[in-house]
Amino acid sequence: MGPTSPKRPLSPKGSADQLPSAKRVNHSNSPTPNASEISKATSSTTADGGGGPKKKSKQQQVMAKTTGVMDYLQKSLSRPELLGLYKDPDRGRFVCRSVLQQVPELSQQIVVRLSCTGGVFPLAMIYSWFRSNTTPSLSPTEAAASHGRMIKLLEHLYQWAIIVDKPSSSTKKQDPNTTAGDNTTTSANLVQLTPEFYQGFKNSLHSLDSSPWNPLTEKEMELIEEDAIKTSGKSNIKFPRMSNEDLERYTQAQWDAVLHYLVGTGNYADPHPAVAHFLLQTNLMQPDPDFKGKNTDDAPLVITQKGYDFMLQDNAQQVWHFIVQYMASMAENLSNDPAKAQLLKREALLVLICLSFARFGECYSGAGLTKEGRTIIKDLSLFGLLYTKKVGKTFIFYPTRIAMQLVGLEGTSNKAGGGGGMWSWSSKALENALAHPRPHDSSHLAIIVQTNFQLCAYTTSELHVSMLGLFCDVHTIRRLPNVIFMTISRDSIKGAFNLGIQAQQILRFLEKHAHPKLRESGTDPLPANVVDQIFLWDRERHRIRWNQVFNHQPIMPGEFQAVQKYAMELGAHGWSSEARNMIMIKYSFVDRIQNFVQKWRAKQASG
Amino acid sequence: MNDANSSVDEYSIAKKLTLRAAQREAALTSITSGISSGGDEGVIGADFSNLTLKPDHIQRPCWTCPDGHIYLEAFHDLYLQAYDFLVAIAEPVARPEFVHQYKLTPYSLYAAVATNIETESIINVLERLSKNALPIQVKKFVRDCTSKYGKARLVLKHNKFYVESEYPMVLRELLRDPTIAQARIQEDVENVDEHGFITNAKAEEMKENLEMLREPDEDSDDDDDGDNQDHEQKQKKPTTVVSFQVDGAKVENVKRQAIELDYPLMEEYDFRNDTMNPNVPLFDLKPITRIRRYQERSLAKMFGNGRARSGIIVLPCGAGKTLTGVTAAQTIKKSCVCLATNGVSVLQWKYQFQKWTNIPDDRISVFTSDQKENLHPDACVLITTYTMISYSGKRSDQSQRVMDQITGREWGILLMDEVHVVPAKMFRKVIGSVKAHTRLGLTATLVREDDLISDLNFLIGPKLYEANWMDLTAQGYLANVQCVEVWCPMTGSFMKEYLQASNARLKQLLYVMNPNKLRAVEFLVRFHEERGDKIIVFSDLVYSLKLYAEMLKRPLIYGETPERERQAILGTFRATDALRTICISKVGDTSIDLPEANVIVQVSSHFGSRRQEAQRLGRILRPKSYTQQDGSNRSSFNAFFYTLVSADTQEMFYSAKRQQYLIDQGYTFKIVTNLCEKASEEAVKHNYAYSSPEDDRKLLRTVLTSETDLEKEQKSEDAAIRKNNPDGAGLADAGTKRTAGMTMSQVSGGGGLRYREITSSKKHPLFRKRQRR
């Protein structure tokens, strides 16, 4: 950068007291462009106060990265928590079963074999299983490689709390060819299943039921219906019989209502107040920062950056993300009662895992659930993940497809064969958008961004219009039956930035939903000038850098020069003015500078 | 012959048509606002989501909105057919790579019917191409605009004027008017129908022009079927036309009256059967002359039915407008008046006429302020400027004599170059003075400062053809230009002064003289000179231009540069490699032809003028010798257009406005922000003129003290442009009309399709007169 103008701290002048006082001073690093820019920049930094300065707890960050229940079990649960799940008397076996489905095939083999041999087996023997697969004589490097592979698999099993000890790496040092005959069976050389998993797995093998709950039969439904009519005395009670299609529609409608609320589509009914509360609590929404009214409680809720990130994910991811938020908020609400929180979390996970064993389109009675389990199911139904109903006194529920898919995304996408990345998804979207004037499934979107900043989106969904409206100029919208046109302008993008939406998110969204035609050429689907421009607009916001500094005010003659010199040598010097008798020290160096000052003063006083 | 009054009348009558067209358009666009008038605060877009899509819409390429906007998928299989059709009937709004936007306007429809596309076929084909059922508003609009237009023509045939139409009804209606009936001349000929109209075979429109109307399944491979169908279709359509003769002396009255009846007569000139006006001998194209496809297409529109139509042809700069004009003139072969904007282009036109055709030297004459050649008594080509023709003051004897010859003669064609720059009042005079049977306007950018664009449609004729910049680039007829916007951060001290400056001119000077910009220019010039490119550095501000030239040690051309020196510099630049860079002020915007240049560095410019941007780009659009002709040069750039912008100043705002026209044509501007950093490094390394902070401070001091010099120089530049080029003076003055109470966006051209150009120099009332000369 060129020579910069003298850096002017924006803080008020030094306070009257002579003692050095720690202060946060706003510190400009670039020549000040003009007054309005500054005020804009400051207002924007204060506006996103919700997301920016407040650091997420580490746990939350970990959770955000998981992709499904199983992923969550592996990455965010402690070993005792996992073991606790395996140990559950009724449902532990289902946990074990689904965990086993998650590990690689070879590991599954090991676990099954171990369970047939009483749960304990020498490591060396297990290694021999590995070797028999390959040619008998191995070169040392190959041997080391296959040994390493085994250790990795066992470590993986250890992570899942399936085996007791971490495989000791000491065996590695021994010659793998001689260990086979060695019979030093110390505990380090034994592989042992954890008793909890072993028990759970055995239970699973011994039991015949494929599902933790039994679906209600036609007969039972009729019984419930009769019972309800009898007890209430009303004749119009009907047992809700939902077809698969009904359920799909129900889920879509409930979930869409949540998303619509999130992006602020006007003409949709607001979801359950609990949902709104939840969205606020989890920082997906915030009270409008531009709200002018007196009572901040009246401020309408608007989407936050986190919420926008949420919108960008596909449906399955969104649902999972929501579950994670849900569990986190549960823990937060019960922070004064960690034991209860732990219990609820465990219950929630068990319910989710059990759900994955339920059958889509079947009705289940709530009788088989614990009290906590029932609360959780009710909560999930607010978001459309389950359909619940009370018929008379009996609580019944239908799981939906989306709730059942929550366990491990990798597994389900393989089975459904519907993965294939976003490409096929958006091309399907286009086909759909084109094939049906008003498609029943309104969740498809294909976007063309043009070099003149016009955006052309093939969609019929209100939701997409609202989402695009977050960063496009809504005054330019032209809506046609299956396509909308909008332009991206500096103001519209800045508006999105003010909500905390990031340039990267916008571009990711546009790229993800790019029209398949744009990908045919093999180049970047977004025009380079638009991408550049959005980044440049983004950069405009970061022209002022905030550094935390310490304002040192020298009191003794010569102190200014001495401290300034020392700070410069240290690289701690931010800015200084002899006339104002101020030295700005980078905050991380405060201790060392203060030390130095004390010593220097002592020396001066004595000398 | 015809006095000044009649031409003024013609203008005011054209105005009437314009008003009518505006009303129709307003009625159509009110649909939009009617739908979304929910809230008072700002109309939010337009919602047409209730339009019905056709079940097979995926096979159709475009959407038609009820307010006349049409969107076309450029990647659709039917794109080419749809494109030809839409360009013929609608105004292109934006043509980027994937989805084009068009708009139906009364003028575009007028142009369509003028080229023999009928109302019903417009509706049918549009219906066929549209994904959604054609909105009734659009159908009504098309019928409204075209029901009476293009139905009757005024044909000059065998030196007699005939009112001709396919529909006897129309003629009867016209004849109900007493003025027209009075002008009618009864003829005693054989082919007369029951109403006394003369019947003739219709002048067939060229097949090529109507090809886009054909059904898509009528492919050329099943020729026999196609022919039969064609035949059947023709049977349905009237193959004969009816006409009546009108008195030559009363033609003006008939025309005026027809407009009153809202049946504007389209003028066609049957030049092949004109025996009265002599041909220019040997007025043929030389065998070496090659006409490009799009030039041929544009001329095909003009001479579609074997007669000459009046109208406007829009071709990008550098795409060979001159050759198109020359070819049109030699096709008619009658006397021709060619109007250019200034003396330099007059000479260029003369050169081009002689280059492409075999016209004898004595048949071509030039009429400018320094050269007043007498006309050949017979047919000839005359090249002159708008100002020479429209000058209303007292003329010298010699020029009065020439002028009398011009007004006293019947001309075959009136060619008008750069038709968008001509002020309205000048038009009236030109049209009053030159009696021409055909008028052809040529332009690159149909954007202008007043509402004349719509007037042009009735004064000259409809827009016959508009080329697509991107297509021509892809075909290799235009150089493939990489447009780059370089952001130069202001240095600290300059920014400080900029923020404190109260004087707009000083502010401008500060952002133009930003040391970072200086370094960037030097860096770019060095870089491209090493590559072997030829560079033009443009600066509107003469003061800075001098400084830049001094810094680069390269010659400069501005208003006060003597003609001889100018020619010498340009000659060296064109012919040798010794000179690779020249610095030019705004005098170089249009009149200087430098086909060799392939890099432009624009340092300062005229505020938000979109036209200037397009014209400057045009300087390097001429295809380079190494341009590939196979359409594969999309990715390889061979010309560069750099605009240097000082970050965080008003320049950013202007630059965004300026680029709008080119962006709509599909150009993209790449923004580069780190070039200045690199330039600063290089500056230190290679010892540039301005490399140290000390240099910057010195520069700032000079800039701050030279404000008065600057003002003086800018004024003398303007004066010099007028003095050296009196032909352009009228244009320059007319362009500086100042209108009070405008918003910033209007001033800078952000207001809409048209923009107004004003100069920012504040003139003291004492000097105003002197400046106007």
Side-chain angles (χ1 to χ4, degrees), chain A residues 13 42 199 369-370 410 427 440 477 497:
Chain A
K13 282 182 184 167
T42 29
Q199 191 56 44
L369 296 167
T370 60
E410 311 96 319
S427 77
H440 313 293
I477 186 174
F497 289 159

Side-chain angles (χ1 to χ4, degrees), chain B residues 76-173:
Chain B
H76 199 277
D77 294 341
L78 286 176
Y79 164 68
L80 281 179
Q81 289 98 311
Y83 175 76
D84 277 347
F85 173 71
L86 288 177
V87 166
I89 66 154
E91 203 73 45
V93 178
R95 290 184 282 191
E97 201 177 340
F98 293 105
V99 180
H100 295 184
Q101 188 182 351
Y102 300 86
K103 190 175 188 324
L104 287 173
T105 67
Y107 309 113
S108 67
L109 290 168
Y110 174 51
V113 288
T115 47
N116 264 346
I117 303 174
E118 282 164 39
T119 309
E120 287 312 309
S121 45
I122 292 177
I123 293 177
N124 288 342
V125 177
L126 200 54
E127 178 81 72
R128 201 169 70 219
L129 293 174
S130 179
K131 285 173 188 288
N132 54 307
L134 210 57
I136 38 167
Q137 295 95 327
V138 170
K139 282 189 195 167
K140 183 171 172 296
F141 179 66
V142 172
R143 292 212 172 96
D144 266 8
C145 291
T146 57
S147 61
K148 292 185 164 182
Y149 289 25
K151 289 288 180 287
R153 329 189 157 74
L154 185 67
V155 183
L156 179 60
K157 201 162 60 176
H158 307 291
N159 304 92
K160 291 168 188 155
F161 286 97
Y162 292 90
V163 174
E164 184 187 277
S165 175
E166 288 163 22
Y167 311 96
M169 280 289 296
V170 173
L171 292 191
R172 277 204 299 275
E173 201 169 328

Side-chain angles (χ1 to χ4, degrees), chain A residues 269-425:
Chain A
D270 282 1
H272 197 276
V275 172
H277 179 72
F278 174 80
L279 293 175
L280 185 64
Q281 198 185 22
T282 52
N283 267 333
L284 293 178
M285 296 187 93
Q286 64 189 2
D288 192 345
D290 297 332
F291 184 65
K292 299 284 188 318
K294 277 181 220 149
N295 190 354
T296 43
D297 288 348
D298 294 341
L301 296 182
V302 292
I303 193 164
T304 62
Q305 183 219 324
K306 215 169 141 197
Y308 191 74
D309 219 10
F310 181 73
M311 287 303 303
L312 294 181
Q313 298 163 347
D314 56 42
N315 261 6
Q317 262 179 307
Q318 279 173 345
V319 173
W320 171 246
H321 188 100
F322 154 74
I323 298 279
V324 170
Q325 295 285 356
Y326 174 73
M327 286 193 285
S329 77
M330 250 175 6
E332 239 165 76
N333 289 351
L334 292 166
S335 52
N336 49 356
D337 187 0
K340 179 116 189 274
Q342 195 60 40
L343 185 76
L344 267 179
K345 184 171 163 192
R346 183 165 163 255
E347 190 62 37
L349 287 170
L350 284 170
V351 165
L352 287 173
I353 291 171
C354 289
L355 266 177
S356 72
F357 286 94
R359 280 224 299 277
F360 179 52
E362 298 281 7
C363 180
Y364 295 92
S365 157
L369 296 167
T370 60
K371 190 166 143 268
E372 292 84 14
R374 211 169 303 172
T375 327
I376 289 159
I377 294 250
K378 271 182 196 155
D379 284 350
L380 295 182
S381 74
L382 287 179
F383 290 84
L385 302 185
L386 292 158
Y387 176 84
T388 58
K389 185 98 187 172
K390 224 171 161 161
V391 183
K393 279 179 185 159
T394 326
F395 175 74
I396 55 129
F397 64 91
Y398 283 96
T400 63
R401 194 174 42 80
I402 208 153
M404 291 163 55
Q405 279 177 356
L406 281 172
V407 177
L409 284 177
E410 311 96 319
T412 45
S413 67
N414 282 345
K415 273 178 231 153
M422 290 325 297
W423 198 93
S424 64
W425 189 71

